[in-house]
């Protein structure tokens, strides 16, 4: 879930060994630059660029706009409400992918005016460029699952939600009879879900 493409850290400057024989060192530096440039050209396009861990560790923590989580209000969610408005019932914030920028997890449902429409759960990011709007980058729970999120938290990169639902279509909509604890964590380029077993019972 990258916010933007990572930029390769610049190569560190070569150390000065001495000031004697400047012509010799100039020639050596020129030869080294040619070798480095050639090595960069022959790297395969699909390879993973080396990371300068020293430079990355020296980067200061995110400040200002980078440290502000996306505001879930006013976002257009991919939830079909058949003309009814969308409403965010709860949200939680935290850094989910370890890039130093907080994301927002929002539980959203249609504002039908009556009953308890099911929730969908989305992950929002906001690019650091000033004036950009939050956008949906992942769907953790589809509304088609017919579940309601009663609790939603983000802690240590882990999204946790308590979901109540129905064991069959015959169960009245006002009396959910299943309860699950769902957890999602960003790993290997995607959100992976852990879901507890749920026995049918009155909630």
């Amino acid at each position: 879930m990258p916010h933007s493409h990572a930029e390769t850290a610049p190569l560190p400057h070569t150390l000065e060994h001495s000031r004697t024989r400047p012509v010799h060192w100039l020639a050596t530096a020129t030869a080294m630059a040619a070798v480095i440039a050639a090595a960069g050209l022959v790297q395969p396009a699909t390879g993973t660029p080396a990371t300068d861990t020293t430079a990355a560790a020296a980067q200061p923590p995110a400040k200002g706009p980078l440290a502000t989580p996306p505001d879930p209000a006013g976002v257009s969610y991919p939830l079909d409400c058949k003309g009814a408005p969308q409403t965010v019932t709860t949200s939680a914030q935290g850094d989910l992918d370890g890039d130093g920028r907080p994301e927002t997890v929002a539980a959203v449902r249609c504002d039908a005016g009556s009953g308890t429409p099911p929730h969908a759960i989305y992950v929002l990011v906001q690019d650091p460029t000033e004036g950009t709007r939050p956008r949906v980058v992942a769907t953790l729970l589809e509304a088609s699952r017919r579940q309601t999120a009663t609790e939603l938290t983000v802690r240590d990169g882990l999204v946790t939600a308590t979901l109540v639902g129905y064991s069959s279509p015959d169960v009245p909509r006002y009396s959910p009879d299943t309860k699950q604890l769902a957890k999602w964590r960003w790993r290997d380029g995607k959100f992976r879900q852990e879901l507890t077993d749920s026995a049918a019972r009155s909630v």
Side-chain angles (χ1 to χ4, degrees), residues 119-130:
H119 275 112
I121 300 179
Y122 302 104
V123 178
L124 306 176
V125 302
Q126 186 166 1
D127 295 326
T129 306
E130 185 176 356

mmCIF file with all atom_site columns, all heavy atoms in Angstrom, residues 119-130:
data_model
loop_
_atom_site.group_PDB
_atom_site.id
_atom_site.type_symbol
_atom_site.label_atom_id
_atom_site.label_alt_id
_atom_site.label_comp_id
_atom_site.label_asym_id
_atom_site.label_entity_id
_atom_site.label_seq_id
_atom_site.pdbx_PDB_ins_code
_atom_site.Cartn_x
_atom_site.Cartn_y
_atom_site.Cartn_z
_atom_site.occupancy
_atom_site.B_iso_or_equiv
_atom_site.pdbx_formal_charge
_atom_site.auth_seq_id
_atom_site.auth_comp_id
_atom_site.auth_asym_id
_atom_site.auth_atom_id
_atom_site.pdbx_PDB_model_num
ATOM 1  N N   . HIS A 1 119 ? -22.193 -2.927 7.342  1.00 0.00 ? 119 HIS A N   1
ATOM 2  C CA  . HIS A 1 119 ? -21.016 -2.075 7.193  1.00 0.00 ? 119 HIS A CA  1
ATOM 3  C C   . HIS A 1 119 ? -20.103 -2.567 6.081  1.00 0.00 ? 119 HIS A C   1
ATOM 4  O O   . HIS A 1 119 ? -20.056 -3.768 5.779  1.00 0.00 ? 119 HIS A O   1
ATOM 5  C CB  . HIS A 1 119 ? -20.189 -2.056 8.493  1.00 0.00 ? 119 HIS A CB  1
ATOM 6  C CG  . HIS A 1 119 ? -20.667 -1.052 9.501  1.00 0.00 ? 119 HIS A CG  1
ATOM 7  N ND1 . HIS A 1 119 ? -21.235 -1.412 10.700 1.00 0.00 ? 119 HIS A ND1 1
ATOM 8  C CD2 . HIS A 1 119 ? -20.657 0.307  9.481  1.00 0.00 ? 119 HIS A CD2 1
ATOM 9  C CE1 . HIS A 1 119 ? -21.549 -0.322 11.388 1.00 0.00 ? 119 HIS A CE1 1
ATOM 10 N NE2 . HIS A 1 119 ? -21.205 0.725  10.679 1.00 0.00 ? 119 HIS A NE2 1
ATOM 11 N N   . ALA A 1 120 ? -19.353 -1.638 5.538  1.00 0.00 ? 120 ALA A N   1
ATOM 12 C CA  . ALA A 1 120 ? -18.137 -1.923 4.778  1.00 0.00 ? 120 ALA A CA  1
ATOM 13 C C   . ALA A 1 120 ? -17.007 -1.213 5.508  1.00 0.00 ? 120 ALA A C   1
ATOM 14 O O   . ALA A 1 120 ? -17.221 -0.169 6.136  1.00 0.00 ? 120 ALA A O   1
ATOM 15 C CB  . ALA A 1 120 ? -18.246 -1.426 3.340  1.00 0.00 ? 120 ALA A CB  1
ATOM 16 N N   . ILE A 1 121 ? -15.813 -1.793 5.461  1.00 0.00 ? 121 ILE A N   1
ATOM 17 C CA  . ILE A 1 121 ? -14.661 -1.194 6.151  1.00 0.00 ? 121 ILE A CA  1
ATOM 18 C C   . ILE A 1 121 ? -13.587 -0.889 5.118  1.00 0.00 ? 121 ILE A C   1
ATOM 19 O O   . ILE A 1 121 ? -13.183 -1.774 4.350  1.00 0.00 ? 121 ILE A O   1
ATOM 20 C CB  . ILE A 1 121 ? -14.113 -2.120 7.252  1.00 0.00 ? 121 ILE A CB  1
ATOM 21 C CG1 . ILE A 1 121 ? -15.198 -2.389 8.303  1.00 0.00 ? 121 ILE A CG1 1
ATOM 22 C CG2 . ILE A 1 121 ? -12.884 -1.502 7.913  1.00 0.00 ? 121 ILE A CG2 1
ATOM 23 C CD1 . ILE A 1 121 ? -14.751 -3.324 9.423  1.00 0.00 ? 121 ILE A CD1 1
ATOM 24 N N   . TYR A 1 122 ? -13.124 0.361  5.112  1.00 0.00 ? 122 TYR A N   1
ATOM 25 C CA  . TYR A 1 122 ? -12.167 0.831  4.115  1.00 0.00 ? 122 TYR A CA  1
ATOM 26 C C   . TYR A 1 122 ? -10.921 1.404  4.778  1.00 0.00 ? 122 TYR A C   1
ATOM 27 O O   . TYR A 1 122 ? -10.969 1.907  5.908  1.00 0.00 ? 122 TYR A O   1
ATOM 28 C CB  . TYR A 1 122 ? -12.797 1.914  3.226  1.00 0.00 ? 122 TYR A CB  1
ATOM 29 C CG  . TYR A 1 122 ? -14.050 1.475  2.503  1.00 0.00 ? 122 TYR A CG  1
ATOM 30 C CD1 . TYR A 1 122 ? -15.307 1.884  2.938  1.00 0.00 ? 122 TYR A CD1 1
ATOM 31 C CD2 . TYR A 1 122 ? -13.975 0.647  1.386  1.00 0.00 ? 122 TYR A CD2 1
ATOM 32 C CE1 . TYR A 1 122 ? -16.451 1.491  2.279  1.00 0.00 ? 122 TYR A CE1 1
ATOM 33 C CE2 . TYR A 1 122 ? -15.127 0.242  0.716  1.00 0.00 ? 122 TYR A CE2 1
ATOM 34 C CZ  . TYR A 1 122 ? -16.368 0.668  1.166  1.00 0.00 ? 122 TYR A CZ  1
ATOM 35 O OH  . TYR A 1 122 ? -17.505 0.267  0.505  1.00 0.00 ? 122 TYR A OH  1
ATOM 36 N N   . VAL A 1 123 ? -9.811  1.368  4.032  1.00 0.00 ? 123 VAL A N   1
ATOM 37 C CA  . VAL A 1 123 ? -8.557  1.989  4.456  1.00 0.00 ? 123 VAL A CA  1
ATOM 38 C C   . VAL A 1 123 ? -8.328  3.219  3.590  1.00 0.00 ? 123 VAL A C   1
ATOM 39 O O   . VAL A 1 123 ? -8.409  3.147  2.358  1.00 0.00 ? 123 VAL A O   1
ATOM 40 C CB  . VAL A 1 123 ? -7.368  1.020  4.327  1.00 0.00 ? 123 VAL A CB  1
ATOM 41 C CG1 . VAL A 1 123 ? -6.064  1.713  4.729  1.00 0.00 ? 123 VAL A CG1 1
ATOM 42 C CG2 . VAL A 1 123 ? -7.591  -0.222 5.179  1.00 0.00 ? 123 VAL A CG2 1
ATOM 43 N N   . LEU A 1 124 ? -8.036  4.351  4.242  1.00 0.00 ? 124 LEU A N   1
ATOM 44 C CA  . LEU A 1 124 ? -7.806  5.613  3.549  1.00 0.00 ? 124 LEU A CA  1
ATOM 45 C C   . LEU A 1 124 ? -6.352  6.052  3.710  1.00 0.00 ? 124 LEU A C   1
ATOM 46 O O   . LEU A 1 124 ? -5.758  5.870  4.767  1.00 0.00 ? 124 LEU A O   1
ATOM 47 C CB  . LEU A 1 124 ? -8.701  6.719  4.114  1.00 0.00 ? 124 LEU A CB  1
ATOM 48 C CG  . LEU A 1 124 ? -10.206 6.466  4.172  1.00 0.00 ? 124 LEU A CG  1
ATOM 49 C CD1 . LEU A 1 124 ? -10.894 7.643  4.852  1.00 0.00 ? 124 LEU A CD1 1
ATOM 50 C CD2 . LEU A 1 124 ? -10.767 6.255  2.787  1.00 0.00 ? 124 LEU A CD2 1
ATOM 51 N N   . VAL A 1 125 ? -5.812  6.641  2.669  1.00 0.00 ? 125 VAL A N   1
ATOM 52 C CA  . VAL A 1 125 ? -4.511  7.308  2.742  1.00 0.00 ? 125 VAL A CA  1
ATOM 53 C C   . VAL A 1 125 ? -4.671  8.712  2.185  1.00 0.00 ? 125 VAL A C   1
ATOM 54 O O   . VAL A 1 125 ? -5.653  9.026  1.503  1.00 0.00 ? 125 VAL A O   1
ATOM 55 C CB  . VAL A 1 125 ? -3.415  6.546  1.958  1.00 0.00 ? 125 VAL A CB  1
ATOM 56 C CG1 . VAL A 1 125 ? -3.268  5.126  2.458  1.00 0.00 ? 125 VAL A CG1 1
ATOM 57 C CG2 . VAL A 1 125 ? -3.701  6.563  0.466  1.00 0.00 ? 125 VAL A CG2 1
ATOM 58 N N   . GLN A 1 126 ? -3.686  9.538  2.473  1.00 0.00 ? 126 GLN A N   1
ATOM 59 C CA  . GLN A 1 126 ? -3.657  10.886 1.914  1.00 0.00 ? 126 GLN A CA  1
ATOM 60 C C   . GLN A 1 126 ? -2.233  11.216 1.520  1.00 0.00 ? 126 GLN A C   1
ATOM 61 O O   . GLN A 1 126 ? -1.317  11.120 2.333  1.00 0.00 ? 126 GLN A O   1
ATOM 62 C CB  . GLN A 1 126 ? -4.189  11.908 2.923  1.00 0.00 ? 126 GLN A CB  1
ATOM 63 C CG  . GLN A 1 126 ? -4.320  13.314 2.332  1.00 0.00 ? 126 GLN A CG  1
ATOM 64 C CD  . GLN A 1 126 ? -5.165  14.221 3.220  1.00 0.00 ? 126 GLN A CD  1
ATOM 65 O OE1 . GLN A 1 126 ? -5.633  13.805 4.281  1.00 0.00 ? 126 GLN A OE1 1
ATOM 66 N NE2 . GLN A 1 126 ? -5.368  15.447 2.798  1.00 0.00 ? 126 GLN A NE2 1
ATOM 67 N N   . ASP A 1 127 ? -2.041  11.573 0.255  1.00 0.00 ? 127 ASP A N   1
ATOM 68 C CA  . ASP A 1 127 ? -0.713  11.916 -0.221 1.00 0.00 ? 127 ASP A CA  1
ATOM 69 C C   . ASP A 1 127 ? -0.228  13.184 0.481  1.00 0.00 ? 127 ASP A C   1
ATOM 70 O O   . ASP A 1 127 ? -1.026  14.057 0.834  1.00 0.00 ? 127 ASP A O   1
ATOM 71 C CB  . ASP A 1 127 ? -0.734  12.124 -1.739 1.00 0.00 ? 127 ASP A CB  1
ATOM 72 C CG  . ASP A 1 127 ? -1.076  10.827 -2.473 1.00 0.00 ? 127 ASP A CG  1
ATOM 73 O OD1 . ASP A 1 127 ? -0.672  9.770  -1.986 1.00 0.00 ? 127 ASP A OD1 1
ATOM 74 O OD2 . ASP A 1 127 ? -1.748  10.898 -3.515 1.00 0.00 ? 127 ASP A OD2 1
ATOM 75 N N   . PRO A 1 128 ? 1.095   13.311 0.681  1.00 0.00 ? 128 PRO A N   1
ATOM 76 C CA  . PRO A 1 128 ? 1.619   14.457 1.433  1.00 0.00 ? 128 PRO A CA  1
ATOM 77 C C   . PRO A 1 128 ? 1.508   15.788 0.699  1.00 0.00 ? 128 PRO A C   1
ATOM 78 O O   . PRO A 1 128 ? 1.666   16.833 1.300  1.00 0.00 ? 128 PRO A O   1
ATOM 79 C CB  . PRO A 1 128 ? 3.092   14.080 1.668  1.00 0.00 ? 128 PRO A CB  1
ATOM 80 C CG  . PRO A 1 128 ? 3.423   13.121 0.583  1.00 0.00 ? 128 PRO A CG  1
ATOM 81 C CD  . PRO A 1 128 ? 2.163   12.350 0.324  1.00 0.00 ? 128 PRO A CD  1
ATOM 82 N N   . THR A 1 129 ? 1.241   15.757 -0.608 1.00 0.00 ? 129 THR A N   1
ATOM 83 C CA  . THR A 1 129 ? 1.122   17.002 -1.366 1.00 0.00 ? 129 THR A CA  1
ATOM 84 C C   . THR A 1 129 ? -0.035  17.832 -0.825 1.00 0.00 ? 129 THR A C   1
ATOM 85 O O   . THR A 1 129 ? -1.146  17.325 -0.623 1.00 0.00 ? 129 THR A O   1
ATOM 86 C CB  . THR A 1 129 ? 0.891   16.711 -2.855 1.00 0.00 ? 129 THR A CB  1
ATOM 87 O OG1 . THR A 1 129 ? 1.930   15.850 -3.319 1.00 0.00 ? 129 THR A OG1 1
ATOM 88 C CG2 . THR A 1 129 ? 0.896   18.002 -3.658 1.00 0.00 ? 129 THR A CG2 1
ATOM 89 N N   . GLU A 1 130 ? 0.217   19.096 -0.598 1.00 0.00 ? 130 GLU A N   1
ATOM 90 C CA  . GLU A 1 130 ? -0.797  19.978 -0.026 1.00 0.00 ? 130 GLU A CA  1
ATOM 91 C C   . GLU A 1 130 ? -1.998  20.074 -0.959 1.00 0.00 ? 130 GLU A C   1
ATOM 92 O O   . GLU A 1 130 ? -1.869  20.210 -2.166 1.00 0.00 ? 130 GLU A O   1
ATOM 93 C CB  . GLU A 1 130 ? -0.206  21.367 0.217  1.00 0.00 ? 130 GLU A CB  1
ATOM 94 C CG  . GLU A 1 130 ? -1.155  22.323 0.932  1.00 0.00 ? 130 GLU A CG  1
ATOM 95 C CD  . GLU A 1 130 ? -0.507  23.659 1.252  1.00 0.00 ? 130 GLU A CD  1
ATOM 96 O OE1 . GLU A 1 130 ? 0.704   23.802 0.978  1.00 0.00 ? 130 GLU A OE1 1
ATOM 97 O OE2 . GLU A 1 130 ? -1.212  24.546 1.763  1.00 0.00 ? 130 GLU A OE2 1
#
